[in-house]
Amino acid sequence: MKSWRTRIGVGLAVGAAAVAIPLTATTASAAPPPGDGWVPIGAERYPSKAECEAKELPAAQANGYHEVWCDDSEAIMPIFNR
């Protein structure tokens, strides 16, 4: 039979792992845009972040948004409106 000290130590280690794993796990998704209120609207391939945002702004404004943010960390840039 294991001592209480061993059982408590093992229990604490398992509990810490159960909390740490979900907090450190990440998905392979785009980085979130800065600030609050951004809505993902799709993704497109553009040569630069500036061109993406310039070309997407008229469509965003036509749909009631006033800002566009393109995530240039990926080849096909996720696009967000706010």
Side-chain angles (χ1 to χ4, degrees), residues 22-51:
L23 294 177
T24 59
T26 60
T27 61
S29 64
D36 293 331
W38 292 96
V39 178
I41 56 120
E44 190 74 41
R45 184 181 299 271
Y46 285 100
S48 70
K49 178 179 176 72
E51 185 175 336

Side-chain angles (χ1 to χ4, degrees), residues 11-81:
L12 289 174
V14 169
V19 170
I21 290 171
L23 294 177
T24 59
T26 60
T27 61
S29 64
D36 293 331
W38 292 96
V39 178
I41 56 120
E44 190 74 41
R45 184 181 299 271
Y46 285 100
S48 70
K49 178 179 176 72
E51 185 175 336
C52 173
E53 291 174 349
K55 287 189 176 179
E56 292 292 330
L57 185 59
Q61 290 172 335
N63 289 307
Y65 297 101
H66 61 277
E67 290 181 87
V68 173
W69 187 78
C70 298
D71 180 11
D72 62 346
S73 68
E74 300 189 31
I76 299 176
M77 298 182 197
I79 303 165
F80 299 86
N81 289 346

